[in-house]
Amino acid sequence: MTLRTRILVLVSALVALAGVATASVLHASARADRRNQARPGGPRITAGTVALTGDGGRMVFRNMAWGPHRDELVTVPASDPSGPRTASGVKCLRFYAASGTGVCLQAVHGPVQDTYRAVVLDARLKERARYDVPGIPSRARVSPSGRYASWTAFVGGDSYAGTNFSTRAAVVDTRTGKLTPSLEAYRVVKDGRNYHAADVNFWGVTFAADDRTFYATLATGGKTYLVRGDLRTRTVTTLRTNVECPSLSPDGTRVAFKKRVEGLPKDAPWHLYVLDLRTMRETPLAEPRSVDDQAVWRDDHTLVYALPGDYGADLYAVPSDGTGAPRRISTAAVSPAYID
Amino acid sequence: MYVADSRAGTPKTSAAASAESAARPRAGRRRAAVAPTVLALGTVSLITDVSSEMVTAVLPLYLVAGLGLSPLGFGLLDGIYNGFSALVRLVGGHLADRGGGRHKWVAGAGYALSAACKPLLLVAPSLTPIGLILAADRTGKGLRTAPRDALISLSSTPETRGRAFGVHRAMDTAGALFGPLVAFLILRTTVDGYDAVFTVSFCVAVVGVLVLVLFVPGGSGTRGGSGAGAGSGAGAGSGARTGSGTGTGAGSEAEARSGTGAGSETKARSGGRADEAAVETGLDAAAETGPDAAVETGPDAAVETVVDTAAPADRGKAAPRPTLRAALALLGRRDLRRITVCALLLGLATVSDSFVYLLLQRRLGVPDRWFALLPLGTAAAFLLLAVPLGRLADRTGRWRVFLAGHGALLLAYGLLLSSWHGSALPYAVLVLHGAFYAATDGVLMAAASDSVPRELRSSGLALVQTGQALARFACSLGFGAAWTAWGDRTALTASAVALACCALFSFRLRPTPPEGLA
């Protein structure tokens, strides 16, 4: 091949490839318009006021239905979760709230790269404080009193074609503003002894009503543990293996969690269980599908969780005692919080 | 690219060009001393790194936000794959040596395999297939690294080899810095545009393969057998014309940094725009000079003749045939054995990047939002220092620079252990860390090239590199265990002491004769 031929080949290939590349980018950017159109048959959504206290039994969550209010916090009556939604105008990736305090994990679209932040909201969804989140947000929780908030982020992906991830679980005292960026700063007591390891990861914090005790997942050495934490002594103690994303019941006696079950596919390995903290007996729930969520207690007898759906995720409810059957309560919804 | 292209297109007859570049290596004119093949390979690496780093940069986001997966614990596969990757590299090195002149095609197969993986990501719905695709991608990387480094060493004169590797590594790193930038620009202009990122990444990877096929000379087995043998006068018996091969790829690519254990092998993510200049000139040069290097009688032959004398052990003997046994017998050569032993020992004391960043964060309280930028610092220093340190290695001795690089690493450990908490500390550590890569990565390949006959260049370099990569992997496992048992500070102190001892030992062993005598 002469130089001329070679260059000709390269140039024509460049033109063709540039065409393909441009087309794919245009196609992907046209998606924005489609997603801003409400779909026929979707839930009715109107702009309005959303509050994190009061008026007797509501559910607040991130609306994933297409249309102008996509990704906004919306509210519905807890008794009619699939009914018309009232949208707040506040966009969150993940959300939770209790006693008039909300935590909203948001993406910040920078010029080069997305960054993330956690915003602490008051009862009228006004921002009280904001914190940098070091990676992609995953879990969010607020203590029952509304004083403490926590979130988990995935950090990683800087390896060549690698898939090593780590997590950071942060806790903030919303009263003093004191932030613990990672629970890794806490002392770990494993099997009765102090434990140090480079590969310690925490995720999925859930708070008890005493504003001192919390539960979370600790992973190290290829295993996951349920840990009980103490916010005052800054210590966590392992209780049990193979427990992820614990969620403490309102009465504080049980923990709902996802458990890695043998024989399931590697990317969908979890079933929902409830662990009785006194007897340490665990009960499988009636949901047969793999659930990757930190479940929420609607009351002392019912758990609500998200499963993948047509528009991202749908919400399901299942009894906490292992009986009954799962029921879809809302479509195109994720990160629910129940407001009394 | 378009700019470079159009320039390349501006006529300059290929005859004239080839005459010019033929004159270069011998004339030793400063500006011309980097062989066109090296620039072409640098361009291929640059383009390929843009492509692969695009994917790497968005992958976590894609898995978590795009697919809604929880990717934790998946990293275990990485550890197992490290071993396999080493094997692939040895195989790639050996294949490239066999039959002579197959370097280009073995490397090309590696690049093509990685390119083919990109569109598959579009249709993979869950972690298991994605894991397999990433494994295939890395297999391609393992295959191509050795022959590529062999081509670099064979197409540069022994006196300028350090610089040639430096230029290649700098271009490679520039691509790694540029890729994430492109990826996030695409995500910015689209909604959930992961499909667009993968498609563009594929297109870019194809361009890389094309540049290799069109502009990297040599390689075709047929040609190697006939004409070229004559041209180089080297190929005794084997008829291997290009015969080089390298196996290793120390380089800039991730395997050098290999083992990670916990964290990640970092390769720089996003960032720098610094390199547009480099990108442009790189492409340019490659486009202009590349083709003529392929001209049968061309400069290559001349270069190789020179290169050939680089392996003094060979002179007067029949060149070894590139069999598997011959490849293993390489370890019987004192020089290469010593280099391998030293690389292995030093590798055993080289804490993986992820730990360095983790320590930096813990010691200095680097805020979380800067954490992702730490690898950028290393990469930027690597990029800037690769060429100067490569040249320094050519002038003052490769082994000396290689050891000095480990000295820089030792200094970085020392800073991490010291009680100094100045605001300049992270910068100092990252610059030292980047200097470590710049002084060791390509330089080790240049040093090893001197001790491996050209017929076995791929296999020989693969051997050194694999030894180093496995040693680093072992180190990261050991370091993780030491961290668990004694805490991070003690673990790092132990590593520092081990590194100092290994460096001292390597200094006394001094596996290569001082350059200049070669």
Side-chain angles (χ1 to χ4, degrees):
Chain A
M1 261 197 279
T2 65
L3 175 61
R4 184 178 291 271
T5 323
R6 263 182 261 236
I7 288 171
L8 219 74
V9 170
L10 184 67
V11 170
S12 15
L14 279 177
V15 170
L17 291 168
V20 173
T22 312
S24 74
V25 173
L26 288 178
H27 174 77
S29 57
R31 227 174 271 152
D33 304 331
R34 293 199 297 281
R35 299 218 175 159
N36 285 333
Q37 301 297 316
R39 305 280 293 186
R44 201 158 61 78
I45 309 171
T46 47
T49 316
V50 175
L52 298 182
T53 47
D55 71 355
R58 299 194 71 85
M59 180 172 83
V60 179
F61 57 94
R62 169 186 165 194
N63 167 53
M64 299 185 86
W66 290 7
H69 299 293
R70 192 166 57 96
D71 296 335
E72 289 180 16
L73 292 182
V74 295
T75 178
V76 292
S79 54
D80 181 21
S82 55
R85 303 175 177 183
T86 306
S88 65
V90 177
K91 290 196 179 204
C92 303
L93 296 171
R94 298 291 168 127
F95 170 77
Y96 195 75
S99 300
T101 302
V103 60
C104 165
L105 306 182
Q106 298 176 325
V108 184
H109 302 295
V112 176
Q113 191 167 351
D114 277 359
T115 54
Y116 303 93
R117 68 177 169 219
V119 179
V120 176
L121 302 170
D122 69 11
R124 304 168 70 182
L125 300 188
K126 289 280 169 296
E127 178 176 322
R128 282 173 55 196
R130 61 166 69 171
Y131 304 91
D132 287 328
V133 175
I136 306 157
S138 161
R139 311 286 176 219
R141 274 299 191 266
V142 175
S143 69
S145 72
R147 175 170 174 182
Y148 288 96
S150 172
W151 53 85
T152 307
F154 285 111
V155 181
D158 30 31
S159 58
Y160 180 82
T163 40
N164 280 310
F165 284 82
S166 61
T167 58
R168 295 288 156 71
V171 174
V172 67
D173 182 340
T174 65
R175 199 179 297 165
T176 63
K178 184 178 175 344
L179 173 77
T180 302
S182 170
L183 286 181
E184 286 159 51
Y186 278 35
R187 194 160 63 90
V188 179
V189 179
K190 181 167 161 281
D191 307 320
R193 254 184 267 156
N194 279 346
Y195 181 78
H196 306 274
D199 70 344
V200 163
N201 280 298
F202 287 96
W203 64 88
V205 172
T206 183
F207 294 98
D210 62 3
D211 273 343
R212 174 169 183 176
T213 310
F214 67 90
Y215 295 85
T217 309
L218 176 157
T220 183
K223 279 187 180 174
T224 59
Y225 299 84
L226 174 66
V227 294
R228 180 192 288 129
D230 187 322
L231 292 169
R232 235 169 283 169
T233 61
R234 296 170 70 82
T235 305
V236 298
T237 310
T238 59
L239 299 180
R240 190 181 178 86
T241 59
N242 199 1
V243 172
E244 292 179 62
C245 295
S247 173
L248 191 63
S249 62
D251 62 13
T253 61
R254 288 156 296 160
V255 159
F257 65 98
K258 56 181 209 190
K259 174 178 176 171
R260 210 169 266 268
V261 178
E262 293 269 328
L264 291 185
K266 218 168 72 188
D267 47 339
W270 298 287
H271 278 172
L272 280 182
Y273 280 72
V274 166
L275 173 72
D276 187 312
L277 289 170
R278 258 172 314 162
T279 63
M280 283 307 212
R281 279 240 316 262
E282 57 185 39
T283 311
L285 300 190
E287 172 58 75
R289 289 162 290 188
S290 176
V291 174
D292 180 11
D293 194 10
Q294 185 174 21
V296 167
W297 294 79
R298 186 172 75 193
D299 49 48
D300 274 324
H301 314 288
T302 316
L303 283 157
V304 175
Y305 51 91
L307 282 172
D310 291 342
Y311 299 100
D314 298 333
L315 292 177
Y316 290 78
V318 72
S320 64
D321 59 2
T323 63
R327 193 167 54 85
R328 186 167 73 182
I329 60 169
S330 191
T331 57
V334 76
S335 281
Y338 285 89
I339 310 294
D340 303 322
Chain B
M1 276 182 248
Y2 295 105
V3 177
D5 256 291
S6 61
R7 279 198 217 155
T10 55
K12 187 186 214 184
T13 70
S14 71
S18 88
E20 188 191 31
S21 70
R24 279 177 188 170
R26 278 193 267 221
R29 271 191 284 144
R30 280 182 130 232
R31 297 216 41 202
V34 175
T37 307
V38 173
L39 292 175
L41 285 168
T43 308
V44 173
S45 290
L46 189 153
I47 295 172
T48 305
D49 260 36
V50 168
S51 160
S52 56
E53 290 300 315
M54 281 177 71
V55 171
T56 307
V58 304
L59 201 65
L61 202 59
Y62 176 62
L63 294 181
V64 178
L67 294 178
L69 299 173
S70 273
L72 265 183
F74 190 62
L76 287 177
L77 212 141
D78 277 4
I80 298 163
Y81 191 73
N82 264 319
F84 180 59
S85 172
L87 200 70
V88 168
R89 206 170 327 151
L90 288 174
V91 169
H94 179 63
L95 281 182
D97 279 344
R98 286 188 58 151
R102 287 216 296 234
H103 302 80
K104 177 179 171 181
W105 301 113
V106 174
Y111 283 111
L113 177 59
S114 294
C117 289
K118 304 310 193 276
L120 291 180
L121 283 172
L122 286 171
V123 293
S126 62
L127 278 183
T128 311
I130 288 177
L132 290 174
I133 293 166
L134 295 179
D137 191 331
R138 276 176 146 194
T139 303
K141 192 177 184 56
L143 268 182
R144 73 196 180 222
T145 316
R148 184 206 58 209
D149 277 1
L151 279 175
I152 294 172
S153 86
L154 286 173
S155 53
S156 42
T157 60
E159 301 81 39
T160 61
R161 218 173 256 153
R163 166 144 55 135
F165 275 102
V167 167
H168 175 267
R169 297 315 192 235
M171 292 176 79
D172 183 284
T173 310
L177 285 167
F178 199 57
L181 212 65
V182 177
F184 283 106
L185 273 180
I186 293 174
L187 281 189
R188 183 74 335 105
T189 57
T190 60
V191 176
D192 291 347
Y194 306 103
D195 51 348
V197 173
F198 297 149
T199 309
V200 173
S201 164
F202 169 68
C203 293
V204 173
V206 171
V207 174
V209 175
L210 272 176
V211 172
L212 177 90
V213 170
L214 292 173
F215 297 111
V216 171
S220 88
T222 52
R223 201 159 52 86
S226 54
S232 71
S238 71
R241 170 176 170 269
T242 33
S244 66
T246 351
T248 140
S252 42
E253 315 208 21
E255 47 274 31
R257 326 216 175 137
S258 95
T260 118
S264 46
E265 314 169 4
T266 8
K267 183 160 188 189
R269 305 181 58 190
S270 74
R273 66 190 57 134
D275 310 315
E276 266 160 57
V279 172
E280 204 180 289
T281 53
L283 281 166
D284 213 13
E288 269 177 40
T289 49
D292 47 68
V295 170
E296 274 65 0
T297 55
D300 249 2
V303 173
E304 276 166 25
T305 326
V306 180
V307 169
D308 206 37
T309 63
D314 282 342
R315 253 174 296 167
K317 287 195 237 169
R321 290 169 53 83
T323 59
L324 203 54
R325 184 191 297 181
L328 289 176
L330 280 173
L331 284 179
R333 287 166 179 268
R334 204 184 60 168
D335 281 353
L336 188 68
R337 190 175 58 233
R338 287 188 167 182
I339 288 183
T340 312
V341 166
C342 290
L344 219 122
L345 281 176
L346 289 165
L348 278 175
T350 305
V351 174
S352 87
D353 294 3
S354 49
F355 283 121
V356 171
Y357 301 134
L358 210 57
L359 285 162
L360 198 55
Q361 196 193 22
R362 293 199 154 197
R363 290 268 148 246
L364 303 170
V366 175
D368 270 334
R369 83 197 118 129
W370 298 116
F371 186 74
L373 298 180
L374 293 179
L376 278 185
T378 302
F382 184 10
L383 171 70
L384 293 174
L385 293 174
V387 177
L389 288 181
R391 294 183 60 151
L392 189 70
D394 287 337
R395 278 207 301 272
T396 64
R398 287 171 192 134
W399 197 246
R400 210 172 288 169
V401 171
F402 181 72
L403 285 179
H406 286 85
L409 186 63
L410 199 57
L411 213 55
Y413 289 177
L415 285 180
L416 283 173
L417 289 168
S418 76
S419 53
W420 179 45
H421 276 60
S423 57
L425 188 44
Y427 301 99
V429 169
L430 292 177
V431 166
L432 286 170
H433 197 229
F436 159 69
Y437 277 117
T440 56
D441 195 276
V443 172
L444 176 64
M445 289 304 96
S449 298
D450 296 340
S451 316
V452 184
R454 48 196 296 288
E455 291 76 15
L456 292 169
R457 191 67 49 87
S458 253
S459 316
L461 296 187
L463 221 55
V464 177
Q465 186 50 40
T466 304
Q468 189 188 40
L470 288 179
R472 286 184 180 177
F473 182 53
C475 171
S476 78
L477 291 182
F479 190 81
W483 181 316
T484 306
W486 304 314
D488 52 357
R489 219 184 159 90
T490 317
L492 187 64
T493 311
S495 299
V497 171
L499 182 60
C501 292
C502 293
L504 208 65
F505 177 79
S506 304
F507 180 72
R508 296 202 42 180
L509 207 57
R510 186 191 278 268
T512 50
E515 259 85 3
L517 300 187

